[in-house]
């Protein structure tokens, strides 16, 4: 097999291909070096590795999201998302630069986004090409990392479910937990756009400042201020956007208005613990006639994707929608980024910058 | 004031008017003789008590329902239903015979249904007449007690919410907790009518037999058989009708199918305890994209009452819909009936027969 025109050198020898491997199912929080290990022993021959109809990419950015914890499980346990396999690279949404292609629709030098491996370089086989898409050059000049954040899975998660389930009415009160996160920060802005009073919680003063910049009417650090008393004072709440579950969800039950809508996006407080949270106010589901909807973003692609693209990129480019990134430099530190997001230490959308955008 | 033609004697002296009073807020289960006391010291002069535009009734039957526990609370705590007041009679749905009337639309000898006092006799003032309705003589000869059961609040609860929220599709699997109860037994039959496989649980072998008679495909005694293992074997479940909350709700989360609908009708396991249940599977709301709806029957009267009357009385009269009553004789034993329903000792819809249907 001959070398490919997309590479700067036509004769290349194998080079190291750093890879983050899933190594052990965590008991509680994932531990870098134990749950995941960064393997530097693998090599790749960029010019000669067989593509068999697929493409070779250089990984530029990778997303780190709360839901990855759910994939670090015993594969015997079924869940909505496939488990990671011990000894295999982690995978998640990312952006890659195409170095070689045997697919006529994907050109060398283009950028693809989709679920890719936590590897510096990887081959996406012909069979898996349907899971990635080529990033169109839009008129807005938006950084690649945005495609895994505000324009990627988290941004869509917020947009699709807000449109589908919030039933927001001007003047209502919305409460958003993890309001500085990748999803929550978009929800805060969507709620303000719809004319709601927004209460937003997060776990650091830095996050509180960011939520205020996003327009939250009441932003608080739940580690310093009691959520129950904030909601009692500022509520009752008509919409609760739940990213955390546990005590915060119970507080939301306790301050729900009649006919409140709860959007269940995630429950990060449950991911790292086998102890269930003893809900005291769950009967309010009946008493306040609450509607609760759990959802997974890809259930709603067909219905909301077009409107998402019509609305969001423009508002991102104009600065009307703000976003913030918590950047980790280097794939070798991705394991720490994964842990940081589970413990709430990330400030904003967690992004791993793997490499620069050049061939 | 002169005596009234509706009474058998035109000159009457005061007679005892047995009354069940709310006496003390229970800590756990209500205790007859402590939480409620049966007071025999009150008297009433049936012929001369002023009506002021209202009516005088003789109480025939009274309903005992799980939700009464929620009314036995500190009045400072807000909830969907007004609290009972210490020293005042309990109230609930019942049927009364009209002994005297100063309202032109209500005739002596007619029967009214609505929320009435736990008293042998009571005056319903002009102001409160809007809360009761005269029972029409339908072609079906249905006992008065049915108007507080299958045709009353429990039957409507089942019918309205099943129609509104179940989104039942033929061939799906429904799980009904407290499936032998006043609401649950109707839900089991509505689910069978819609062509579903029905799993039903209750707390005694007698109740299990009744649920089998109702057509439940799988009926089990949760005190003898583990709910989790039944649902694992017979599920996953598409619809969960919740009357109990707690461990059973958690088991339902654990065996929910994708896009399951949970109808939250009640959570009797939470009413008598301040300890919250530690839910282990609540994240399945997200993972299985569950929709949960809490409701209160009277939210849906306008939408579903007509269809209810079109469908249910005929099926009751023909015997297609079965119902069962757990009868307590005598208002003096109503306190025990209230306790029995909280501890699950009632076999079916709990009814207190207060007096015979004669003037």
């Amino acid at each position: 097999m001959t070398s490919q025109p997309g590479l700067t050198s036509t004769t290349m020898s194998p080079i190291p291909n750093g890879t983050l491997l899933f190594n052990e199912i965590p008991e509680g929080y994932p531990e870098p070096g134990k749950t995941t290990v960064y393997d530097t022993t693998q090599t790749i021959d960029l010019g000669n590795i067989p593509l068999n109809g697929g493409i070779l990419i250089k990984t530029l950015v990778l997303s780190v999201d709360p839901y990855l914890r759910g994939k670090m499980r015993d594969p015997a346990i079924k869940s909505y998302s496939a488990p990671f396999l011990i000894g295999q690279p982690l995978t998640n949404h990312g952006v890659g630069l195409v170095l070689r292609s045997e697919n006529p629709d994907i050109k060398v030098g283009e950028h693809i986004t989709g679920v890719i491996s936590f590897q510096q370089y990887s081959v996406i086989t012909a069979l898996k090409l349907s899971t990635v898409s080529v990033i169109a050059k839009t008129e807005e000049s938006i950084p690649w990392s945005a495609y895994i954040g505000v324009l990627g899975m988290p941004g869509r998660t917020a947009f699709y479910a807000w449109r589908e389930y919030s039933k927001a009415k001007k003047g209502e009160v919305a409460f958003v937990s993890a309001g500085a996160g990748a999803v929550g920060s978009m929800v805060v802005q969507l709620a303000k756009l719809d004319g709601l009073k927004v209460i937003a919680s997060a776990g650091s003063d830095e996050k509180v400042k960011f939520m205020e910049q996003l327009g939250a009417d009441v932003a608080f650090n739940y580690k310093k201020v009691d959520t129950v008393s904030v909601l009692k004072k500022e509520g009752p709440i008509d919409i609760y956007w739940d990213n955390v579950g546990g005590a915060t969800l119970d507080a939301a039950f306790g301050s729900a208005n009649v006919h409140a809508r709860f959007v269940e996006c995630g429950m990060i407080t449950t991911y790292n613990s086998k102890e269930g949270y003893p809900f005291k106010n769950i009967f309010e589901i009946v008493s306040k006639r609450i509607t609760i909807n759990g959802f997974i973003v890809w259930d709603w692609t067909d219905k909301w994707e077009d409107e998402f693209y019509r609305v969001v990129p423009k508002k991102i480019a104009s600065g009307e929608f703000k976003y913030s990134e918590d950047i980790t430099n280097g794939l070798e530190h991705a394991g720490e980024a994964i842990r940081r997001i589970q413990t709430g230490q990330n400030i904003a959308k967690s992004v791993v910058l793997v490499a620069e955008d050049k061939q």
Side-chain angles (χ1 to χ4, degrees), chain A:
Chain A
M1 183 166 283
T2 57
S3 61
Q4 306 291 313
L7 296 170
T8 45
S9 163
T10 50
T11 53
M12 295 181 80
S13 50
I15 58 167
N17 189 13
T19 301
L20 191 71
L21 298 174
F22 184 44
N23 189 59
E24 197 180 299
I25 298 166
E27 279 297 310
Y29 288 112
E31 291 180 44
K34 190 161 181 275
T35 308
T36 55
V37 291
Y38 187 64
D39 177 15
T40 55
T41 64
Q42 299 187 30
T43 60
I44 186 168
D45 183 340
L46 297 179
N48 295 306
I49 188 170
L51 303 185
N52 299 321
I55 63 174
L56 171 68
I57 62 162
K58 178 185 178 184
T59 303
L60 302 184
V61 296
L62 280 166
S63 179
V64 174
D65 300 288
Y67 87 104
L68 294 183
R69 178 62 180 83
K71 296 170 77 74
M72 297 178 173
R73 68 177 187 272
D74 179 345
I77 302 167
K78 285 185 182 172
S79 188
Y80 63 97
S81 176
F84 289 139
L85 299 178
I86 301 285
Q88 295 292 312
L90 272 69
T91 58
N92 197 19
H93 297 271
V95 173
L97 168 65
V98 180
L99 298 184
R100 289 167 51 202
S101 171
E102 292 182 356
N103 181 295
D105 297 330
I106 304 180
K107 305 276 178 287
V108 168
E110 286 187 326
H111 296 79
I112 60 94
T113 183
V115 172
I116 61 179
S117 288
F118 276 61
Q119 291 187 287
Q120 292 181 295
Y121 301 95
S122 56
V123 171
I124 300 171
T125 59
L127 206 68
K128 293 221 165 163
L129 277 183
S130 65
T131 68
V132 303
S133 53
V134 174
I135 296 176
K137 305 279 176 212
T138 57
E139 52 201 11
E140 301 88 19
S141 59
I142 295 171
W144 299 126
S145 59
Y147 288 88
I148 54 169
V150 277
L151 294 180
M153 200 259 289
R156 291 163 196 223
T157 296
F159 189 89
Y160 296 177
W162 182 262
R163 283 284 191 277
E164 185 65 31
Y165 294 121
S166 73
K167 317 280 183 212
K169 287 186 280 290
K170 198 175 167 176
E172 286 190 330
V173 178
F175 171 42
V176 185
S177 58
V183 176
S185 57
M186 180 65 98
V187 174
V188 168
Q189 297 178 87
L190 290 167
K192 287 311 298 174
L193 199 67
D194 282 350
L196 279 75
K197 170 179 170 178
V198 176
I199 308 168
S201 68
S204 78
D205 292 348
E206 198 172 354
K207 291 178 182 177
V208 169
K209 262 181 219 148
F210 180 52
M211 296 188 299
E212 286 168 349
Q213 288 164 12
L214 297 176
D217 300 278
V218 180
F220 69 100
N221 179 345
Y222 70 87
K223 290 178 183 168
K224 291 185 173 177
V225 188
D226 179 40
T227 303
V228 171
S229 55
V230 173
L231 295 185
K232 276 215 156 56
K233 180 167 173 251
E234 305 288 347
I237 57 175
D238 300 290
I239 298 169
Y240 173 48
W241 184 287
D242 191 16
N243 288 311
V244 301
T248 312
L249 174 56
D250 205 26
F253 282 138
S255 283
N257 205 349
V258 169
H259 297 132
R261 288 81 67 197
F262 281 35
V263 184
E264 286 300 328
C265 178
M267 296 191 187
I268 198 166
T269 61
T270 69
Y271 303 167
N272 300 287
S273 162
K274 288 182 176 169
E275 301 303 308
Y277 182 81
F279 288 89
K280 301 273 198 287
N281 301 317
I282 194 165
F283 179 66
E284 300 296 340
I285 296 175
V286 181
S287 156
K288 298 288 168 53
R289 301 87 129 171
I290 299 172
T291 296
I292 304 175
N293 281 290
F295 75 98
I296 301 290
V297 57
W298 47 83
D299 283 350
W300 297 106
T301 303
D302 287 351
K303 182 164 178 190
W304 293 111
E305 191 177 34
D306 288 351
E307 191 179 336
F308 177 82
Y309 276 115
R310 207 157 50 233
V311 172
V312 180
K314 275 195 191 65
K315 288 190 190 293
I316 293 293
S318 73
E320 185 182 346
F321 274 173
K322 295 173 182 64
Y323 70 101
S324 177
E325 290 171 347
D326 184 298
I327 292 167
T328 298
N329 274 298
L331 185 56
E332 65 273 25
H333 299 301
E336 289 144 41
I338 289 169
R339 183 182 165 87
R340 278 165 56 81
I341 208 167
Q342 293 295 326
T343 56
Q345 290 166 286
N346 62 307
I347 305 154
K349 165 65 195 149
S350 179
V351 171
V352 178
L353 296 187
V354 179
E356 285 183 51
D357 185 17
K358 60 182 183 189
Q359 293 183 3

